[in-house]
Amino acid sequence: MSEVKLTVNGRAVTRDVEDRTLLVTLLREHLGLTGTHVGCDTSQCGACTVHIDGHAVKSCTVLAAQVDGSEVVTIEGLADGASLHPMQEAFRTHHGLQCGFCTPGMIMMGIDIVQRHSSLDEETIRKELEGNICRCTGYHNIVKAIKAAADDMAVGTPSMAAE
Amino acid sequence: MGEGIGARVLRKEDQRFITGKGRYTDDISERDMTHGVFVRSPHAHARIRSIDASEAKNVPGFVGIVTGQDLIDGAIGNIICGWMIYSKDGSAMKAAPWKVMDPEIVRHVGQPVAFVVAETRAAAVDAAEAVTVDYEELPALTNFHHALDPGAVEVHPEAPGNLICDWQLGDEAATDDAFAKAAHVVELDLEQNRLVPNAIEPRAAIASYNVAEEHYTLNTTSQNPHVARLCLSAFYNVAPEHKLRVIAPDVGGGFGSKIYIYPEEITCLFAARVLERPVKWVADRSESFLTDAHGRDHKTKAKLALDADLKFTGLKVETIANIGAYMSLFSSATPTYLYATLLSGQYTTPNIYCNVKLVYSHTTPVDAYRGAGRPEATFVVERIVEAAARKLGVDPIELRRKNFIREFPYQTPVLMAYDPTDFDALVEKGLAHADHAGFPARRAEAERRGKLRGMGFSCYIEACGLAPSKAVGQLGGGVGQWESAEVRVNPVGTIEILTGSHSHGQGHETTFAQVVADRLGVPVGNVAIVHGDTDKIQFGMGSYGSRSGPVGMGAIARALDKVEAKAKVIAGHLMEADPSDIVIENGELKVAGTDRKLGWHEMTLAAYTAHNLPDGIEPGLTEKAFYDPANFTFPAGCFVCEVEIDPDTGITRVVRFVAVDDFGVIVNPNVVEGQVHGGLAQGIGQALYEGAYYDDAGQLLTGSYMDYCLPRADDLPSFSLDHVETPNPNNPLGVKGCGEAGAIGAPAAVINAVTDALRTEAMTMPATPEKVWRAVQAMRAPIAAE
């Protein structure tokens, strides 16, 4: 067993977990943050993507013990009260989701993409999304949503409040 | 339009999904819940000598184990195939028993052998690994192309020679006669690659048993919870229907794979009763690959007869369809009635004959996957039409136009009676969006860069909105295919719609509310859609086969008719007017031609106070309808695909994809376009990327996202969509259904483009870089030899 102390969505948490516990298991089963999903067992689908210290990471690839002392943000921590993050808003406005299962990972990845690129074209967004699989949308509207959110975030919306 | 039919209303369900508040099966926990893991066969074909769980019982956290013998001793029934078909000699299909967990023999890799339950999932994994199963390996038949070979390994003794059914449709003699008289005959060998549906949410189940009430609850990833309950009750003997509640909460995609009731859900229910504790099972992706019903998997010989004027005079199709190790629920219908009945395509071909041999193999069961039979039919028709045009040196669009059906209703020689649509208009729009006229210049420009360009077409028609129950019954279907809806108008005027349809991504909470808004003028926000719970909705057939729109919304429309009629009677009485003079506009009931009006909420309150209702009118305002469609619906479209191939690497890029569809009336263009996008991605996936492969020992070589190429964002283009709108005359709302069209039409368009670029007809799906590179080499070889 290991004691893990970390900050999740701004809240300090401490848990004793089995050494083999994955971060995604800690989030879903120990903390009840079920918005982060598990869609595969080979770290390919990206449904479990969260932010660790500001970077998008697949939470099925890290042990909970490895993120001791880190700051983790999940899909539940993005909105500032009733006001949605521009990436969330863009996914809704552009119909960037259907069944919603891959969506939390897509949104977390989308934010990471925008943060790492000063300007974004369709080709870059598509390449950057390679680690996130969606079976419903054909990506068409996901790409549109990320582009639109990038434009919104660039004009200085106070969108990173939650981070 | 406001929020009514045709409006781009943003989806109501999105708020919870984009904030991580969705509630999928694995997000649910029950008090005192245990976790189950299946022990699965590593062999494609083996006899089980013994199962030893003694070490598993010592694993900390072990709770219990269920074996196949326990299920048999508990009188659990075999898994059914729900559609009876007959061979051409009149004999019934030879369906072998599918035991939930066969205690004696395994017939595909991944078949469940035992179910181990423990306090945590990790403990259950440990305990399952500690179970020792002693297998006697047997020879396996995993390549269905050899299923009918003399001396082939037999999968089931009930089906000698692995032949389940030798099925036919159409007039063989007349078709042969057409070929005897033909001016031209074009032949083509085709394969439908085997696909894995891959909803991103894996299947899952939580079963619980209330001892005091002798009542079960099953939360599960189902597209049709009532059908699941029916099968679990009537056939699998878990519990009578009134003692079993099935809930399908938020479900993360289905594409057909979540229609079926699999061994896992049944076993969970059994285990919950035996252990008297809730049991959760969640598939990992490897289990999804091994056990979710796969799709397609045909081998076909087709030939087309044409007269001297290039009119199609006959089509003859012979198909071997792989059913896998067991007959899944719709496995008999998918490669027969959902396939051969669409072989007329958009054309006036007068003589069509199709023979399908359904065969067993030691592979995962194959059943309906998005499109189910219709992508296979479209691929046959649209590939052979394009091949014929090339062989005969005519423009592929001109050849199609020469043969288009233009008079409706049109009775095909293969059972279907098409409703009106306009194939010429679809093609015209398709060509315009694709800049067909500019293609030669683009091709020449690509050639200057050393690249190969091709353009391919697919003019599909499909039958969806399953379907008139009487017709389905006559064809062997085991259930009716109507849908139910209940409209509950509350005293304050808000509305709940209880629907038998189930949304697992389709956006019903929004589109169904739009139908109500359109009719009654109430805001979409005042309409709640209730679905996916057998305790709330009395019965329903669920969502598959693009039926939620034409059938599910049809039922809502019929229930709204009754609500509207009663509302007018009440309003007429209150305003001292004849009900026939009442009109409903913008949330108000008005007496036509006067300034007298009532708010919707005033009328609803009056219905419930019942202080002043007309004589003979019951208080309250709630109405129900069971809608049985008069016919299938027939969406159709023209897809144009343009590809560019790098001859050095064999990589094919889809550079342009145009889809013009006729879905009849469109309720929400955002949602419909989203459905098309997703369908196209799966169709392009089939054409270029996806394929499930078994080795000769029966191991699935493509059992993860590392090996099975699900399209990623950078594998696909943005799509160009347009519509032609021919309202469906047989549907209360004029809708036709849109969920499968993309997957149905796209593969042929892509392969027609690839084969156009490569100037060969010999290309199987998926057209991987390796296959394409080899084709490029073959194409260049004669040039090199000169």
Side-chain angles (χ1 to χ4, degrees):
Chain A
M1 299 291 278
S2 306
E3 188 191 68
V4 183
K5 288 185 178 184
L6 69 166
T7 307
V8 179
N9 299 333
R11 189 165 64 98
V13 294
T14 305
R15 289 290 187 280
D16 286 321
V17 298
E18 268 193 274
D19 292 345
R20 60 178 165 178
T21 305
L22 298 169
L23 174 58
V24 67
T25 311
L26 174 77
L27 294 171
R28 287 181 54 82
E29 288 172 24
H30 297 248
L31 303 178
L33 295 171
T34 54
T36 300
H37 297 148
V38 180
C40 77
D41 44 19
T42 50
S43 293
Q44 290 285 304
C45 81
C48 66
T49 305
V50 300
H51 291 181
I52 301 175
D53 297 330
H55 301 288
V57 176
K58 292 178 180 178
S59 61
C60 73
T61 61
V62 245
L63 294 166
Q66 283 176 282
V67 297
D68 188 50
S70 298
E71 211 163 300
V72 173
V73 176
T74 71
I75 188 72
E76 290 93 342
L78 278 187
D80 184 6
S83 106
L84 295 172
H85 187 286
M87 191 62 72
Q88 293 172 307
E89 195 64 65
F91 267 70
R92 179 168 66 175
T93 307
H94 295 277
H95 187 33
L97 62 149
Q98 290 180 26
C99 81
F101 196 80
C102 77
T103 310
M106 287 286 179
I107 289 175
M108 300 311 285
M109 190 62 202
I111 293 169
D112 185 84
I113 293 170
V114 174
Q115 284 172 346
R116 286 186 289 103
H117 293 272
S118 51
S119 73
L120 271 177
D121 55 17
E122 179 181 338
E123 197 186 340
T124 309
I125 295 171
R126 287 183 179 275
K127 278 203 159 62
E128 286 279 356
L129 275 181
E130 215 204 17
N132 290 71
I133 300 178
C134 172
R135 191 58 156 166
C136 293
T137 65
Y139 305 99
H140 182 104
N141 286 341
I142 291 178
V143 173
K144 260 168 75 176
I146 293 175
K147 179 82 181 82
D151 296 344
D152 274 2
M153 288 161 72
V155 297
T157 319
S159 54
M160 296 289 106
E163 303 265 315
Chain B
M1 186 188 294
E3 294 182 316
I5 290 173
R8 289 185 180 270
V9 176
L10 296 185
R11 295 204 322 174
K12 294 167 67 180
E13 44 271 84
D14 287 356
Q15 179 68 24
R16 66 178 186 274
F17 294 135
I18 57 178
T19 53
K21 303 291 189 218
R23 195 161 180 266
Y24 302 88
T25 300
D26 189 25
D27 300 341
I28 297 167
S29 284
E30 304 277 352
R31 198 168 148 264
D32 206 23
M33 187 171 77
T34 61
H35 299 261
V37 167
F38 283 89
V39 177
R40 297 187 181 279
S41 169
H43 304 297
H45 190 201
R47 195 172 301 285
I48 299 169
R49 287 203 191 100
S50 64
I51 300 171
D52 179 1
S54 53
E55 278 190 43
K57 289 174 182 168
N58 295 328
V59 171
F62 174 88
V63 173
I65 181 166
V66 175
T67 64
Q69 193 58 50
D70 296 332
L71 297 174
I72 290 171
D73 294 345
I76 295 296
N78 291 342
I79 296 176
I80 58 157
C81 176
W83 198 301
M84 174 58 82
I85 57 169
Y86 295 88
S87 284
K88 54 189 179 190
D89 67 4
S91 62
M93 66 184 190
K94 297 180 174 69
W98 182 1
K99 294 173 188 166
V100 174
M101 280 200 286
D102 195 316
E104 291 171 354
I105 200 151
V106 288
R107 293 185 180 86
H108 69 91
V109 170
Q111 181 171 320
V113 171
F115 185 51
V116 179
V117 180
E119 296 292 346
T120 65
R121 179 167 163 80
V125 170
D126 291 343
E129 280 178 5
V131 174
T132 306
V133 184
D134 185 15
Y135 295 98
E136 176 195 344
E137 275 188 71
L138 300 169
L141 176 94
T142 55
N143 181 347
F144 81 100
H145 294 187
H146 297 300
L148 297 171
D149 289 355
V153 173
E154 261 178 20
V155 180
H156 293 280
E158 291 82 357
N162 297 314
L163 183 62
I164 295 167
C165 192
D166 188 5
W167 182 90
Q168 67 177 359
L169 184 68
D171 187 336
E172 185 173 21
T175 306
D176 285 343
D177 190 46
F179 279 90
K181 293 174 181 156
H184 312 279
V185 173
V186 179
E187 300 187 29
L188 202 57
D189 289 343
L190 297 160
E191 287 181 24
Q192 272 286 323
N193 41 335
R194 185 182 180 108
L195 303 176
V196 184
N198 271 306
I200 303 298
E201 180 204 24
R203 284 193 295 122
I206 305 171
S208 48
Y209 181 67
N210 181 324
V211 181
E213 307 276 344
E214 296 178 320
H215 185 280
Y216 295 81
T217 301
L218 177 69
N219 275 279
T220 190
T221 49
S222 176
Q223 298 178 217
N224 36 276
H226 291 87
V227 175
R229 185 179 66 161
L230 174 64
C231 290
L232 288 163
S233 292
F235 302 103
Y236 310 147
N237 212 20
V238 171
E241 280 175 294
H242 67 296
K243 292 288 187 184
L244 172 59
R245 176 184 187 185
V246 179
I247 303 167
D250 286 332
V251 173
F255 315 116
S257 69
K258 292 171 181 169
I259 295 172
Y260 320 112
I261 299 88
Y262 293 86
E264 290 83 1
E265 293 89 324
I266 302 167
T267 306
C268 281
L269 284 162
F270 180 85
R273 179 174 62 75
V274 172
L275 301 171
E276 295 188 7
R277 288 179 66 182
V279 180
K280 177 190 268 192
W281 165 77
V282 180
D284 58 30
R285 182 56 55 185
S286 303
E287 285 181 288
S288 304
F289 272 104
L290 291 173
T291 67
D292 289 6
H294 292 184
R296 319 286 192 253
D297 220 9
H298 287 190
K299 187 175 169 56
T300 292
K301 276 187 175 302
K303 59 180 182 175
L304 179 69
L306 301 91
D307 67 15
D309 293 331
L310 302 182
K311 295 281 281 181
F312 306 152
T313 55
L315 178 67
K316 192 165 187 180
V317 177
E318 287 173 29
T319 293
I320 302 175
N322 187 8
I323 298 301
Y326 299 100
M327 291 196 79
S328 176
L329 193 68
F330 289 154
S331 62
S332 50
T334 300
T336 55
Y337 286 111
L338 298 182
Y339 167 64
T341 52
L342 269 303
L343 287 172
S344 204
Q346 300 190 349
Y347 313 110
T348 55
T349 318
N351 304 291
I352 299 174
Y353 174 78
C354 180
N355 170 235
V356 183
K357 292 181 171 69
L358 293 80
V359 300
Y360 277 123
S361 66
H362 287 112
T363 62
T364 298
V366 179
D367 206 327
Y369 159 63
R370 198 172 196 169
R374 292 152 289 160
E376 296 92 316
T378 300
F379 194 69
V380 169
V381 174
E382 289 304 288
R383 280 290 293 123
I384 204 163
V385 166
E386 198 105 343
R390 290 173 191 157
K391 184 179 172 189
L392 303 174
V394 293
D395 181 87
I397 291 297
E398 285 317 305
L399 183 61
R400 286 176 170 91
R401 282 179 171 145
K402 207 177 256 295
N403 288 280
F404 275 160
I405 296 162
R406 293 190 176 87
E407 283 172 28
F408 299 92
Y410 177 81
Q411 178 62 54
T412 73
V414 277
L415 299 179
M416 291 300 185
Y418 294 166
D419 289 326
T421 177
D422 188 340
F423 301 135
D424 290 286
L426 289 162
V427 161
E428 211 164 296
K429 278 194 171 186
L431 296 182
H433 287 292
D435 186 18
H436 182 235
F439 177 69
R442 294 196 295 280
R443 173 177 255 175
E445 185 276 331
E447 272 171 21
R448 286 196 291 277
R449 288 184 286 112
K451 305 287 195 269
L452 303 169
R453 279 231 172 187
M455 183 176 265
F457 309 93
S458 175
C459 295
Y460 79 89
I461 185 163
E462 60 133 331
C464 64
L466 272 167
S469 297
K470 194 173 174 185
V472 167
Q474 284 167 352
L475 298 179
V479 287
Q481 293 283 0
W482 43 265
E483 195 47 270
S484 79
E486 187 179 343
V487 178
R488 290 184 187 166
V489 184
N490 297 316
V492 293
T494 60
I495 293 171
E496 282 135 26
I497 301 289
L498 283 72
T499 171
S501 297
H502 183 272
S503 180
H504 28 283
Q506 295 91 335
H508 297 169
E509 291 171 38
T510 308
T511 53
F512 288 11
Q514 285 181 255
V515 172
V516 180
D518 194 79
R519 180 75 73 93
L520 304 177
V522 297
V524 158
N526 285 0
V527 183
I529 305 301
V530 181
H531 67 106
D533 185 339
T534 60
D535 261 16
K536 293 179 180 168
I537 299 101
Q538 188 241 329
F539 207 92
M541 298 310 300
S543 293
Y544 47 83
S546 308
R547 68 193 305 281
S548 300
V551 194
M553 287 199 290
I556 294 170
R558 286 288 167 80
L560 285 171
D561 290 345
K562 299 180 189 177
V563 166
E564 190 181 334
K566 186 170 177 184
K568 286 179 175 176
V569 168
I570 295 171
H573 177 76
L574 293 172
M575 291 188 281
E576 296 176 343
D578 192 275
S580 63
D581 290 332
I582 304 291
V583 291
I584 302 179
E585 274 174 13
N586 301 321
E588 292 176 323
L589 298 112
K590 300 174 181 171
V591 182
T594 74
D595 58 358
R596 277 181 291 162
K597 60 184 182 182
L598 269 181
W600 172 256
H601 61 285
E602 294 177 278
M603 181 279 301
T604 59
L605 192 62
Y608 282 89
T609 59
H611 294 163
N612 184 16
L613 292 179
D615 290 342
I617 293 295
E618 289 179 11
L621 189 52
T622 177
E623 298 288 351
K624 196 163 188 171
F626 284 75
Y627 169 64
D628 204 339
N631 193 1
F632 292 86
T633 61
F634 297 95
C638 173
F639 291 178
V640 187
C641 176
E642 188 169 330
V643 299
E644 183 167 297
I645 291 170
D646 183 336
D648 296 330
T649 63
I651 291 173
T652 301
R653 304 288 310 174
V654 176
V655 292
R656 189 191 290 246
F657 202 106
V658 174
V660 183
D661 298 284
D662 183 354
F663 296 134
V665 171
I666 289 174
V667 175
N668 184 326
N670 284 355
V671 169
V672 168
E673 287 160 11
Q675 288 291 311
V676 176
H677 295 156
L680 292 177
Q682 292 182 13
I684 294 170
Q686 169 167 24
L688 293 181
Y689 305 110
E690 299 179 41
Y693 298 96
Y694 288 89
D695 69 10
D696 288 342
Q699 296 298 326
L700 181 61
L701 299 174
T702 48
S704 82
Y705 289 151
M706 314 281 278
D707 320 289
Y708 184 94
C709 185
L710 219 58
R712 310 309 207 259
D714 62 347
D715 293 322
L716 298 169
S718 283
F719 306 110
S720 168
L721 308 188
D722 199 356
H723 301 283
V724 166
E725 192 170 315
T726 317
N728 176 359
N730 286 318
N731 183 275
L733 297 169
V735 304
K736 296 184 176 180
C738 64
E740 296 162 293
I744 288 168
V750 177
I751 296 300
N752 282 339
V754 170
T755 51
D756 179 48
L758 296 175
R759 295 177 170 83
T760 171
E761 299 303 339
M763 178 55 62
T764 55
M765 298 189 290
T768 58
E770 184 199 340
K771 285 187 206 167
V772 170
W773 183 84
R774 287 184 191 283
V776 169
Q777 303 312 307
M779 180 174 77
R780 286 178 171 176
I783 301 166
E786 282 167 22

